[in-house]
């Protein structure tokens, strides 16, 4: 019998001797591989500084991680139905993806939006969209993550607050997160739509506003970790870039007069969980420790909550492939396991269909089941930091920390992350990592089952069970018609008055918080494009960076 997929007869062996980030590995690790730093000072018990083993003493015995599967496609009504489906099948937190036009600050009727409305997220043009999105969902009872990750994030949060106020809710009790990392959006989505200087200023506005009015809301959010890892960074780079971006945001807030404990205590990160289980566990252990020391020693924080690294995890989308898609279930199961062994606060298990289409109902239900199995069948969540004390994991934690610290020093010598970004070095690191990843696959150094190992002819490949998710064909037409009706029927005098106040507020300068003006404009049914266009023109930029439209309001620059 001929073995179809073996490397050399029946005596196959592991050829790779490195982690997926290129860290050299020995065959076995012993106590000699551990640094003599002392357990208490370098590792500590769970819940104790420096939180290497976890930020809570009892971790998941006290509270399980939040199961936060996202959705977003079609119109607000379409996505509303799917969010309710997720809640019925075990989601304990909600996450909403916005579509590309919204992320770029464009209304659904903008010429560039054609063909993109509701395709990779839900359009959130005005407060009316947000209201329909959460129809029948009790905002006072559920934790919500609004995935904006761009300069439009204050508009999206203002829409959410507007809906809560319409329901008579106390906004100080709302729980959730606004994904508002402008650096990630500048690098990974659109540098034109997301100028970094404006983005960092708006990030500070959100943090300041939420600290004063929404004490249990997470506005200090860093999502560059996940997205830049997807684009090509390795594990040490993910740590270094994430912490240096966080330092940039912190210093922005400190310059505004905020206290470090008022910023860091509500800060959270959105990270990647890759397929290399031990490297991922070591990465998160190192990141917790590095964050604790940085916040205490560099920024003189006093509150334990400030020094506790809080993170949400998404299983690495780039690890999934369209060939033999059912194999992706195994991949995301191991990645979910890595996230749990690492002590994540929130987990998004990427669905197995996502190399091919947006998540189907079957795929979402499968992802939630994976989390349930990891939580209640594997035993992985029963003990805090179960891999702690492993000679291998402790050595790898130290190794990743050293490499990440070296990268951070290099960025500091460049003058900080913004300067490193503007010189092109950041993009160079991402590009080189991406090229290296694909070259390893091409050369056979990185074996991917179904792609360059155990591959089968396309005609034998397994079809996706349940088929593909199809965006309703009339979704864009319905959304554009809805936007046009809303624009025609709103109170135009009230709208123009709020736009004028927003313009004047922006002109005052960057020490002035834009949020109160944005909230007032949103409540007058101003759209995301109208608000962002006004902010741009008031700062001497063009209303529409792509040159298709001009301001409809009188008096704009």
């Amino acid at each position: 019998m001929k073995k179809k997929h073996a490397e050399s007869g029946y005596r196959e062996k592991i050829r790779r001797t490195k982690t997926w980030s290129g860290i050299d590995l020995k065959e076995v690790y012993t106590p000699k591989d551990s640094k003599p730093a002392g357990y208490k000072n370098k590792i500590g018990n769970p819940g104790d500084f420096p939180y290497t083993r976890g930020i809570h003493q009892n971790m998941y015995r006290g509270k399980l991680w939040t199961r936060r599967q996202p959705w977003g496609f079609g119109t607000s009504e379409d996505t509303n139905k799917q969010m309710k489906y997720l809640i019925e099948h075990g989601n304990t937190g909600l996450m909403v993806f916005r579509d590309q036009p919204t992320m770029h600050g464009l209304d659904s009727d903008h010429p560039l939006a054609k063909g993109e409305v509701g395709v990779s997220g839900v359009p959130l043009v005005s407060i009316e969209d947000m209201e329909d999105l959460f129809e029948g969902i009790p905002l006072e009872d559920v934790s919500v993550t609004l995935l904006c990750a761009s300069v439009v994030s204050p508009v999206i949060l203002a829409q959410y607050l507007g809906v809560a106020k319409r329901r008579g809710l106390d906004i100080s009790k709302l729980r959730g997160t606004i994904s508002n990392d402008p650096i990630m959006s500048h690098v990974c989505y659109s540098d034109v739509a997301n100028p970094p200087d404006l983005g960092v200023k708006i990030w500070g506005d959100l943090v300041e506003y939420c600290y004063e009015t929404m004490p249990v809301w997470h506005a200090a959010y860093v999502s560059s970790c996940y997205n830049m890892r997807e684009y090509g960074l390795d594990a040490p780079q993910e740590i270094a870039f994430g912490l240096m971006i966080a330092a940039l945001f912190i210093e922005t807030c400190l310059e505004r007069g905020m206290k470090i404990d008022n910023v860091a205590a509500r800060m959270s990160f959105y990270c990647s969980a890759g397929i290399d289980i031990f490297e991922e566990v070591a990465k998160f252990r190192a990141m917790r420790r590095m964050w604790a020391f940085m916040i205490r020693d560099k920024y003189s924080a006093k509150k334990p909550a400030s020094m506790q690294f809080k993170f949400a995890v998404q299983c690495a989308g780039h690890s999934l492939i369209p060939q033999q898609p059912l194999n992706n279930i195994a991949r995301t199961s191991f990645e979910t396991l890595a996230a749990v062994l690492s002590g994540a606060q929130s987990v998004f298990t990427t669905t197995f269909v996502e190399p091919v289409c947006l998540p189907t109902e079957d795929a979402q239900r499968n992802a939630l089941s994976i989390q349930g199995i990891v939580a209640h069948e594997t035993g992985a969540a029963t003990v805090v930091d179960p891999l702690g004390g492993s000679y291998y994991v402790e050595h790898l934690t130290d190794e990743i920390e050293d490499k990440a610290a070296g990268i951070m020093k290099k960025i500091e010598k460049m003058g900080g992350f913004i300067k490193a970004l503007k010189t092109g070095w950041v993009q160079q690191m991402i590009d080189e990592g991406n090229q290296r990843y694909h070259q390893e696959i091409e050369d056979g150094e990185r074996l991917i089952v179904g792609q360059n190992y155990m591959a089968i002819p396309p005609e034998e490949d397994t079809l996706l069970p349940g088929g593909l998710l199809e965006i309703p064909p009339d979704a864009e037409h319905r959304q554009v018609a809805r936007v046009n009706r809303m624009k025609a029927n709103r109170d135009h005098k009230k709208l123009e008055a709020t736009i004028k106040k927003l313009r004047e507020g922006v002109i005052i300068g960057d020490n002035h918080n834009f949020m109160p003006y944005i909230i007032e404009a949103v409540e007058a049914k101003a759209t995301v494009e109208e608000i962002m266009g006004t902010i741009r023109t008031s700062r001497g930029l063009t209303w529409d960076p792509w040159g298709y439209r001009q301001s409809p309001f009188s008096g704009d620059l």
Side-chain angles (χ1 to χ4, degrees):
M1 182 179 70
K2 184 178 179 181
K3 284 208 69 169
K4 191 173 182 181
H5 304 297
E7 292 173 286
S8 177
Y10 288 90
R11 296 185 59 81
E12 187 175 5
K13 65 179 182 179
I14 295 296
R15 294 183 298 167
R16 190 174 178 88
T17 59
K18 300 174 183 286
T19 70
W20 285 134
S21 294
I23 298 173
D24 290 322
L25 298 176
K26 297 165 56 176
E27 287 185 345
V28 65
Y29 287 82
T30 70
K32 295 180 180 180
D33 295 298
S34 300
K35 291 184 178 180
Y39 178 82
K40 183 176 181 180
N41 296 329
K42 195 68 181 288
I43 300 174
N45 289 329
D48 293 339
F49 187 91
Y51 307 105
T52 305
R53 303 197 64 193
I55 64 174
H56 300 301
Q57 184 178 5
N58 60 354
M59 279 305 291
Y60 300 133
R61 291 197 187 191
K63 181 182 181 297
L64 200 63
W65 67 87
T66 301
R67 294 188 293 270
R68 200 182 295 276
Q69 293 299 116
W71 229 325
F73 69 89
T75 65
S76 295
E77 294 91 340
D78 298 324
T79 301
N80 174 267
K81 294 175 184 177
Q82 302 306 327
M83 289 199 299
K84 291 175 179 175
Y85 175 88
L86 288 175
I87 293 171
E88 290 171 2
H89 287 84
N91 234 24
T92 54
L94 295 176
M95 183 185 292
V96 179
F97 278 114
R98 75 287 169 273
D99 68 2
Q100 286 296 309
T102 302
M103 194 277 292
H104 285 78
L106 303 178
D107 292 349
S108 300
D109 60 352
H110 189 283
L112 282 181
K114 188 174 179 59
E116 294 291 338
V117 175
V119 172
S120 58
V122 61
L124 295 172
V125 173
S126 75
I127 189 174
E128 303 300 309
D129 289 323
M130 187 67 75
E131 186 163 46
D132 287 345
L133 178 64
F134 285 98
E135 185 277 326
I137 296 174
L139 304 185
E140 65 273 24
D141 295 333
V142 66
S143 169
V144 175
T145 294
L146 301 170
L147 283 178
C148 314
S150 69
V151 293
V152 306
S153 54
V155 184
I156 304 305
L157 181 59
Q159 292 174 0
Y160 187 78
L161 295 180
V163 173
K165 289 177 182 178
R166 285 183 176 184
R167 296 184 185 182
L169 300 178
D170 181 353
I171 66 169
S172 69
K173 296 180 180 179
L174 295 177
R175 295 180 299 113
T177 302
I178 180 72
S179 171
N180 60 329
D181 184 341
I183 303 301
M184 184 279 291
S185 296
H186 176 84
V187 173
C188 301
Y189 290 143
S190 171
D191 55 351
V192 175
N194 296 283
D197 295 334
L198 174 60
V200 171
K201 182 268 185 296
I202 283 177
W203 193 94
D205 282 358
L206 276 169
V207 173
E208 183 179 63
Y209 177 83
C210 289
Y211 167 72
E212 294 173 352
T213 63
M214 304 173 68
V216 293
W217 188 272
H218 289 272
Y221 197 66
V222 180
S223 56
S224 296
C225 307
Y226 177 82
N227 291 77
M228 291 189 189
R229 182 75 184 273
E230 285 291 285
Y231 276 61
L233 298 187
D234 60 26
Q237 288 173 325
E238 180 184 353
I239 294 176
F241 281 38
L243 295 187
M244 289 303 293
I245 290 169
L248 164 67
F249 294 159
I250 287 170
E251 286 159 15
T252 297
C253 290
L254 297 182
E255 289 171 2
R256 298 167 71 113
M258 295 187 69
K259 304 295 184 183
I260 181 60
D261 284 314
N262 296 340
V263 178
R266 300 300 296 171
M267 205 159 190
S268 58
F269 294 74
Y270 189 57
C271 302
S272 174
I275 192 79
D276 191 333
I277 294 176
F278 297 104
E279 180 173 68
E280 292 305 304
V281 172
K283 176 191 75 178
F284 287 118
R285 298 174 90 249
M287 206 166 186
R288 267 195 298 265
R289 184 161 69 204
M290 293 177 74
W291 171 260
F293 279 109
M294 182 177 84
I295 293 300
R296 187 193 70 176
D297 298 345
K298 182 176 181 178
Y299 294 108
S300 303
K302 303 299 181 186
K303 292 181 179 179
S306 299
M307 304 172 211
Q308 294 169 346
F309 180 78
K310 296 170 279 288
F311 67 102
V313 159
Q314 178 179 344
C315 297
H318 77 274
S319 70
L320 310 185
I321 63 173
Q323 299 94 332
Q324 303 177 44
L326 292 178
N327 290 339
N328 292 331
I329 296 175
R331 294 185 176 101
T332 58
S333 296
F334 291 129
E335 290 165 355
T336 299
L337 177 64
V340 171
L341 292 173
S342 302
Q345 278 64 64
S346 174
V347 178
F348 160 22
T349 299
T350 308
T351 64
F352 72 93
V353 301
E354 290 188 46
V356 180
C357 66
L358 291 177
T360 61
E361 289 186 351
D362 287 344
Q364 289 279 32
R365 190 170 60 247
N366 171 258
L368 286 167
S369 296
I370 288 171
Q371 294 198 40
I373 291 168
V374 171
H376 301 295
E377 296 186 34
T378 65
T382 306
V383 175
V384 185
D385 188 32
L387 296 181
S390 157
Y391 302 132
Y392 172 39
V393 170
E394 296 296 353
H395 174 82
L396 192 54
T397 300
D398 292 340
E399 187 81 3
I400 290 175
E401 180 180 7
D402 289 344
K403 289 182 179 297
I407 298 167
M408 291 174 72
K409 287 180 181 178
K410 187 170 186 177
I411 295 172
E412 286 174 346
K413 287 181 179 179
M414 294 182 192
F417 200 87
I418 288 289
K419 289 189 177 179
L421 180 65
K422 290 182 176 179
T423 62
W425 179 82
V426 170
Q427 191 61 52
Q428 179 186 346
M429 293 300 100
I430 292 172
D431 291 343
E432 288 179 0
N434 186 279
Q435 292 168 7
R436 186 165 51 249
Y437 175 83
H438 290 288
Q439 191 64 52
E440 288 178 355
I441 294 175
E442 187 174 328
D443 293 343
E445 294 180 23
R446 183 184 293 255
L447 297 181
I448 308 295
V449 173
Q451 185 170 349
N452 63 351
Y453 180 74
M454 293 184 175
I456 61 176
E459 61 271 17
E460 297 179 18
D461 211 338
T462 304
L463 296 176
L464 287 172
L468 305 178
L469 178 78
E470 295 184 4
I471 308 297
D474 64 338
E476 181 167 335
H477 174 76
R478 285 187 284 123
Q479 172 63 14
V480 172
R482 155 202 191 92
V483 169
N484 289 336
R485 284 195 305 271
M486 185 277 299
K487 287 182 177 180
N489 295 327
R490 56 190 170 171
D491 185 334
H492 288 86
K493 287 186 178 180
K494 183 179 179 181
L495 172 66
E496 294 232 9
T498 62
I499 290 294
K500 181 181 178 182
K501 288 176 70 174
L502 172 61
R503 183 189 308 125
E504 292 169 349
V506 173
I507 291 172
I508 291 173
D510 282 358
N511 291 329
H512 207 57
N513 196 310
F514 297 169
M515 273 302 290
Y517 305 106
I518 293 173
I519 291 171
E520 193 173 354
V522 163
E523 290 175 348
K525 300 185 181 181
T527 68
V528 64
E529 182 180 329
E530 290 166 347
I531 292 171
M532 293 313 304
T534 298
I535 291 174
R536 288 192 185 103
T537 55
S538 300
R539 291 173 63 92
L541 304 173
T542 58
W543 174 275
D544 180 348
W546 299 274
Y548 282 85
R549 300 214 281 209
Q550 295 181 344
S551 171
F553 303 110
S554 60
D556 271 327
L557 300 176

